[in-house]
Amino acid sequence: MKATKRFSHGLQAGGAFTWAKAFTRATRQDFFNPASSVWDLQNIPPLALTFNFTYTVPRPSFTPKYASVILKDWQIGGYALYQSGVFLTPPTSLTANFLSSEVERVPAQPLYLVDINNIHSYSPGLQQVLNPNAWAQCPTNTTCTATGTLYSDFRAPRVPSENANIGRNFRIKEIGRASCR
């Protein structure tokens, strides 16, 4: 959903909201179990909200011409993006033969030990964030989750983006010359 509004006197604002959930067809892991890993979640942010505005200074009518040339056509603007964190792939572990294998998610175990979206509540360089008890080694001789499977609640922290700008428009007029014969 997107909205744009052009107000009078050089102000315009806009915003957009995106809610998405995308899947891609994957190859089956177990041919005898058709319900195994038929669709995989794609790594796109499910929620995104953006805002923007631009204000262009109009030509002031109360100033002399040389002053209005200096004061007009300045712009200020801003843009903000707030979206969910990107999906993370489950951790892998090494077996005794040094072959990579997937780990399975343990039910009823939280994925994080802290609130990852509150950066002031923990120190990422000194404190463990992921819960090691949330994952268990895939049992031998069983069919486990496919490599690269994404979980809808296993995400990186949100990283909002906010920008501001200032600029000036310079209007260049092309002067045509009369053709000489």
Side-chain angles (χ1 to χ4, degrees), residues 95-97 101-102 104 136-144:
T95 62
N97 297 328
S101 65
E102 287 294 314
E104 288 290 308
Q137 185 66 37
C138 181
T140 309
N141 297 328
T142 59
T143 304
C144 295

Side-chain angles (χ1 to χ4, degrees), residues 67-127:
S68 69
V69 169
I70 295 171
L71 296 176
K72 72 175 184 173
D73 292 335
W74 283 94
Q75 283 188 339
I76 60 169
Y79 173 80
L81 167 66
Y82 305 100
Q83 69 181 15
S84 356
V86 296
F87 295 113
L88 300 174
T89 55
T92 59
S93 63
L94 298 177
T95 62
N97 297 328
F98 298 102
L99 301 172
S100 63
S101 65
E102 287 294 314
V103 293
E104 288 290 308
R105 189 158 169 194
V106 176
Q109 281 288 335
L111 292 170
Y112 305 100
L113 298 173
V114 295
D115 179 13
I116 61 167
N117 290 313
N118 184 0
I119 191 67
H120 303 293
S121 69
Y122 66 96
S123 174
L126 303 173
Q127 190 175 356

Side-chain angles (χ1 to χ4, degrees), residues 6-133:
R6 289 176 182 84
F7 299 97
S8 59
H9 306 291
L11 177 64
Q12 68 179 14
F17 175 74
T18 303
W19 178 83
K21 193 167 193 178
F23 295 94
T24 183
R25 192 153 183 92
T27 58
R28 296 185 200 275
Q29 291 296 310
D30 182 3
F31 290 102
F32 301 107
N33 181 8
S36 69
S37 191
V38 177
W39 296 94
D40 280 344
L41 191 61
Q42 284 185 345
N43 199 1
I44 62 168
L47 299 172
L49 179 65
T50 63
F51 297 105
N52 64 66
F53 76 91
T54 304
Y55 176 69
T56 305
V57 177
R59 180 181 181 267
S61 59
F62 55 87
T63 59
K65 186 175 181 178
Y66 69 88
S68 69
V69 169
I70 295 171
L71 296 176
K72 72 175 184 173
D73 292 335
W74 283 94
Q75 283 188 339
I76 60 169
Y79 173 80
L81 167 66
Y82 305 100
Q83 69 181 15
S84 356
V86 296
F87 295 113
L88 300 174
T89 55
T92 59
S93 63
L94 298 177
T95 62
N97 297 328
F98 298 102
L99 301 172
S100 63
S101 65
E102 287 294 314
V103 293
E104 288 290 308
R105 189 158 169 194
V106 176
Q109 281 288 335
L111 292 170
Y112 305 100
L113 298 173
V114 295
D115 179 13
I116 61 167
N117 290 313
N118 184 0
I119 191 67
H120 303 293
S121 69
Y122 66 96
S123 174
L126 303 173
Q127 190 175 356
Q128 186 170 353
V129 175
L130 296 176
N131 182 4
N133 298 327

